């Protein structure tokens, strides 16, 4: 059984920050669960372009207000508490935070915790990090 306290993890290297967001990695690849689980906070007024070409991601909004735009289709969806989105096609997207967004995120394959976003908004595949 794995039990972790978000408030304690915020004081460790499992919390990373970049470009107006902070992510606390509750589960990582070395936990052996087959996915990683993060609590991510995006600053109000921020805009982020991501393209997880090597990962699937699902995200659940717990707090805040924003939107997500699918770059391929131009379709925009409202993000608010209770809304979930899944990037099941490795969707290139823009995430906008009108208010501070608090999001619960799962990645498959799991991230290791050492990833940084590359110029195209993706994380490198796991085999490149090994």
């Amino acid at each position: 059984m794995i039990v972790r306290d978000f408030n304690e993890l915020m004081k460790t290297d499992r919390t990373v920050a970049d470009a107006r967001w902070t992510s606390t990695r509750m589960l990582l690849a070395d936990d052996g669960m087959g996915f990683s689980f993060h609590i991510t906070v995006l600053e109000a007024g921020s805009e982020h372009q991501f393209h997880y070409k090597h990962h699937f991601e699902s995200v659940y909004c717990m707090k805040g207000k924003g939107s997500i735009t699918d770059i391929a289709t131009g379709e925009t969806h409202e993000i608010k508490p209770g809304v979930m989105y899944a990037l099941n096609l490795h969707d290139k997207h823009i995430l906008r935070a009108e208010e501070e967004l608090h999001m619960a995120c799962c990645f498959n394959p799991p991230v290791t915790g050492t990833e940084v976003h590359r110029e195209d908004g993706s994380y490198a595949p796991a085999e490149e990090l090994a």
Side-chain angles (χ1 to χ4, degrees):
M1 179 182 297
I2 300 169
V3 178
R4 296 199 170 112
D5 182 327
F6 172 79
N7 296 305
E8 291 299 317
L9 289 180
M10 288 178 55
K11 304 171 193 170
T12 72
D13 63 357
R14 281 184 175 253
T15 296
V16 298
D18 184 27
R20 302 184 68 192
W21 58 262
T22 302
S23 182
T24 301
R25 280 79 188 274
M26 307 285 296
L27 290 172
L28 290 168
D30 64 2
D31 290 312
M33 296 291 296
F35 62 92
S36 57
F37 177 72
H38 319 190
I39 301 297
T40 301
V41 177
L42 295 96
E43 291 180 22
S46 64
E47 180 175 301
H48 312 269
Q49 183 171 311
F50 299 123
H51 186 195
Y52 297 118
K53 299 186 291 188
H54 310 289
H55 297 82
F56 294 106
E57 182 189 26
S58 65
V59 179
Y60 177 78
C61 180
M62 300 178 295
K63 179 181 176 184
K65 182 180 177 185
S67 65
I68 184 169
T69 300
D70 181 333
I71 292 175
T73 66
E75 190 173 12
T76 297
H77 303 274
E78 181 181 16
I79 302 295
K80 61 184 179 182
V83 171
M84 183 278 305
Y85 64 86
L87 303 170
N88 61 319
L89 299 174
H90 304 287
D91 312 88
K92 188 174 185 179
H93 61 286
I94 297 172
L95 186 59
R96 294 175 186 87
E98 294 173 39
E99 301 171 359
E100 185 175 83
L101 285 171
H102 293 242
M103 314 288 263
C105 312
C106 290
F107 278 87
N108 182 14
V111 301
T112 65
T114 60
E115 293 85 354
V116 294
H117 286 99
R118 301 188 300 185
E119 189 173 313
D120 66 357
S122 72
Y123 287 143
E127 54 272 10
E128 283 185 26
L129 298 172

